[in-house]
Amino acid sequence: MTTGEARTDWETVIGLEVHCELRTQTKLFCACRNSFGEEPNTNICPVCLGLPGSLPVLNRTAVEYAMRIGTALHCRIQASQFHRKNYFYPDMPKDYQISQYDVPINADGWLDLPSGQRVGIVRAHLEEDTGKTTHMGGGGRIHDAAHSLVDYNRSGVPLVEIVSAPDMRSAEEARAYVDELRAILVATGASDGKMEEGSLRVDANVSVRRRGETAFGTRCEIKNMNSLRSLGRAIDYEAARQIALIEAGGAVTQETRHWDENAGRTGSMRSKEEAYDYRYFPEPDLVPVDPSPEWIAAVAAELPRLPAERRAALAAASGLPGDSEAVATVVRLGLDDLVEAAAASTATASVAVRRVANEVASDPEAAARLDRVAFARLVAMEAGGELTSAQARTVLKAIMDEGGDPAAVAAQLGFEAMDSGDLDRVVDEVIAGSPDEWARFCAGEEKLQGLFIGAIKKATEGKADLKAASTLLRARRGG
Amino acid sequence: MSAPTTARGIAAEVRSGARRAVDVVEEHLVRIEAHEGDVHAFNLVLADAARAQAAAIDEAVAAGRPPGPLAGVPVALKDNLCTRGIPTTCSSRILEGWKPPYDATVVQRLAAAGAVFVGKTNLDEFAMGSSTENSAFGPTANPHDLSRVPGGSSGGSAAAVAAGFAPLALGSDTGGSIRQPAALCGVVGAKPTYGLVSRYGLVAFASSLDQIGPFALDVADAALLLDVLAGPDRRDSTCLAETAPSASARLGEGVDGLRIGVVRELADAEGLSAEVRGRLTEAADALSAAGAKVAEVSIPAAVYGLSAYYLIAPAEASSNLARYDGVRYGLRAGRAAGTGDDPADVSAMYTQTRSAGFGAEVKRRIMLGTYALSAGYYDAYYGKAQQVRTLMVRDFEAAYRDFDVLLAPTAPGTAFELGAKTADPLTMYLNDVCTIPSNLVGHPAMSVPFGGGSDGLPLGVQVLAPALGEAVMFQVAAALEACAPPVPVSPMRGGSR
């Protein structure tokens, strides 16, 4: 089967529903601890077990976190109401979920991807999580299980469900959206954004249409993607499936489909006819949530800088492009303060971004204890030509592992920048040592530059500034 | 002359040390022992626990610690109020074996006030009914005439007070479930303003309508009990943050100058007996003679009350009762439960459990409610019913611009024969036509005994008040009580028929 991306005559339309667990201390409607990975059924009480006679009481911090998310996604924060979503499932203790329906707390926002593409946010509403079911025996699904075990620790954990507009057109865009959304959620402090622990769960609505058409095709909702990679694979598979179906004269049926990571395919879970009638109605046990303008303003005022803004600031400071991978990495890892501490000029900022994105990023623990001042000094030495980039990397590694002053470490390692006269001499020696290759390089065989650079590096035991060496080589050739 | 039987009298004597709480509870247990077999007011009598609670009260008195406003007063609890470690059944098989791990807020408040719990009373399953015949454990009889119903759904609580098993009892009122049995049993019963009393620990029937309230032998006792129950509770978000004036604040002030309206639509409601109409007129005349300005008032939307109620209450119930699925507690159908074969899968478990665990009326309401909330029907049914509710609030608020309280019948007639209305749910539903409006608008209302019918059975008159108008409601109720014709007393409390 060809993938959807490869087909230029078809367009894939994607909207995403992201469930994000909030990292509040306690659950949404009771005082039980909101904590992942504990002994099953230990963080439970009459309320989150839905025992007869128990009543929910709304967690104010959860509302505030939801408002932070809404603010970060440029949503309108509004008076809202909880509804009951009624359906039977063993991990849902009340057999209804308290969620929001026609009046969500956050509505009509947007998110800009690093590429500059804008994705609409339809709503971001508050709801409670369900318990977690493990089906024992059979195929791991409820229908053929011998028995099922339910852990209610997760029951009542606060979630914000973020529903995007169908604005994405490829698996890559969908991944970029989730990546950016995750960065925003982490930046707001509302969520830890851990997809592998299930604190971020993504469902995808996928449809296809012939390029140029304006009406949407019939969509399928894909569930059970546990990573960005499986999200991408599932979307590509599903788009290809739908295209093949239509091209074979069939039609897509609106349904919910289950992504099977091992098989690499989606399978039907339930059709539209089998879809639940959730019988939403206003939750009579809770009063409406109506945040005051003062509260909304306070949340906005306390919101930290968001990834897009931080990327723009770094790009401007360093002269690197806004969608640069290095800039994105620095911001994703929240290491921009390190760069900023070292960024005295455009040159130092650019060096700092590279060092953080390449070396510091690969060792988060060392990054955390890296001395800001020492890093800034190292960056200044590299930018000023006192150290070659290779030397700077070695010194950085040393101070990340052992600490210390970069100048002292460099001296200890015998790193002293070569004098330009010395480098001139080495370049001439290297050219003289390989006359044939030099002739071919002069004739335009560009790939031979690597050979000369390698030889220069070897001759100087890595002390040469290779950028300067390459400039010299080209000068000798005459451009 | 025997010892006082009112809660006020008992508490005063226990506090002063004139009488021991253990003796008070023993007297009531003796009466329960003698007559409970006939009445079946209780699902569970808590004899030993009550004796222990009473002994603790006596110790407090002896030690000089304040024993509380209800010191040593026996109280019966409707069996839909959660009691820690004590079965709470809602008179349903589906809660078989379940013991709540916590006490309802009202149970905590009563215990702190020195009350002694004598038992959990019978009710229509999940409080759905008007005769206590929809109980999985058999009906309760009316202490005034054992061939008659006590009303419902709080029939066990009303009967317990009427039979002298306890001077006070708690009920819950969703559409009249305190007031109608109070009228049929000749006792006082009040439904407070929605949100005045915490619902935490009351097993929900219809959350936006349910309120817990008092049963008592007289108006002052009911006020005393309500004052103990009322007040903010952070475990119930719908519980009001403000504290209403004490229900006892204006008892004995009379009705001179008060404006009292008789609600035309309820006085003329379908199915009312001539006797009930007659007693209502008598009550209005008596209050007028006592100095009140009495006139007729119209609440046009009241005629839609019953229809709106039978959409909203079942809709909420269908959701509230979904949790009884056999997964976590209560009945799980299968061979071990004696309900046939073990279910083949989880869907079968749901179906078999709920089929075996719920009675016919509960199933009927779950189906009604599920239908009313279904896609495509919501606006026509649930949505429309909520609009009626809004209209009704408007009508009542308009009436309260001209009147301090309103008067209406409580029930259409005196207690009917057991089995008389079980075959026809709609006739049964009509029992609540005069009580339902107060639940829909969330205002307080209470039933006060007002003489008897030609059959010698008690009758009640209803006093309605605006939101948080409990003080004036009890003021008028006390005046009504003072001018009422003789109220029948059950044989168990020494009356004769």
Side-chain angles (χ1 to χ4, degrees), chain A residues 46-47 49-58 83-84 86 88-96 142-143 150 152 277-287, chain B residues 82 95 98 101-102 194 199-203 207-208 234-238 315-316 318-320 322-325 327-329 346 350 354 370 373-375 378 382:
Chain A
V47 175
L49 278 182
L51 291 188
S54 67
L55 294 170
V57 177
L58 184 58
H83 272 65
R84 289 189 187 174
N86 296 283
F88 283 84
Y89 204 78
D91 64 17
M92 205 163 50
K94 302 183 293 295
D95 287 306
Y96 59 80
I142 192 167
H143 306 289
V150 191
Y152 292 104
D277 177 357
Y278 292 121
R279 293 174 285 118
Y280 281 101
F281 75 102
E283 164 58 284
D285 288 332
L286 290 167
V287 292
Chain B
C82 288
L95 277 168
W98 183 62
Y102 66 100
Y194 184 81
R199 292 185 294 118
Y200 191 80
L202 166 67
V203 179
S207 312
S208 74
R234 55 187 185 80
R235 290 180 294 182
D236 176 359
S237 315
T238 63
E316 293 183 8
S318 70
S319 174
N320 282 328
R323 70 191 68 192
Y324 308 110
D325 56 11
V327 173
R328 289 158 301 273
Y329 48 79
V346 69
Y350 290 156
R354 291 166 67 80
T370 303
L373 290 175
S374 296
Y378 181 92
Y382 191 81

Side-chain angles (χ1 to χ4, degrees), chain A residues 94-290:
Chain A
K94 302 183 293 295
D95 287 306
Y96 59 80
Q97 180 191 28
I98 303 177
S99 181
Q100 295 192 312
Y101 182 52
D102 51 358
V103 273
I105 185 160
N106 303 305
D108 299 328
W110 44 266
L111 176 158
D112 281 341
L113 301 183
S115 66
Q117 188 193 344
R118 179 160 292 187
V119 177
I121 302 292
V122 177
R123 55 189 287 153
H125 70 253
L126 262 173
E127 62 185 27
E128 59 178 339
D129 209 343
T130 62
K132 200 171 181 352
T133 313
T134 309
H135 302 298
M136 311 301 285
R141 309 273 296 272
I142 192 167
H143 306 289
D144 52 3
H147 62 278
S148 302
L149 301 173
V150 191
D151 175 10
Y152 292 104
N153 282 350
R154 200 179 69 178
S155 169
V157 164
L159 292 177
V160 166
E161 179 178 342
I162 301 150
V163 181
S164 85
D167 288 349
M168 286 153 280
R169 296 290 177 267
S170 69
E172 192 182 314
E173 284 179 13
R175 284 199 308 265
Y177 168 83
V178 174
D179 210 26
E180 182 66 8
L181 179 59
R182 181 165 60 181
I184 291 171
L185 294 172
V186 171
T188 61
S191 171
D192 62 19
K194 288 179 183 164
M195 230 171 151
E196 62 279 13
E197 287 185 7
S199 51
L200 206 69
R201 304 195 286 272
V202 185
D203 299 336
N205 283 298
V206 178
S207 64
V208 297
R209 62 184 173 191
R210 286 183 199 278
R211 209 165 282 281
E213 277 180 8
T214 51
F216 290 126
T218 303
R219 69 172 190 274
C220 289
E221 185 180 1
I222 318 300
K223 290 183 175 290
N224 194 44
M225 286 92 58
N226 302 321
S227 64
L228 283 185
R229 184 172 171 272
S230 61
L231 172 69
R233 289 179 69 205
I235 290 171
D236 281 341
Y237 173 86
E238 179 60 21
R241 185 190 72 86
Q242 293 183 14
I243 292 167
L245 194 62
I246 297 168
E247 290 194 330
V252 175
T253 315
Q254 188 176 330
E255 61 182 355
T256 303
R257 297 178 68 84
H258 182 92
W259 169 248
D260 184 333
E261 179 71 26
N262 295 326
R265 53 188 300 161
T266 64
S268 183
M269 271 174 84
R270 53 180 179 267
S271 70
K272 192 183 177 186
E273 287 70 35
E274 295 168 306
Y276 297 119
D277 177 357
Y278 292 121
R279 293 174 285 118
Y280 281 101
F281 75 102
E283 164 58 284
D285 288 332
L286 290 167
V287 292
V289 188
D290 190 1

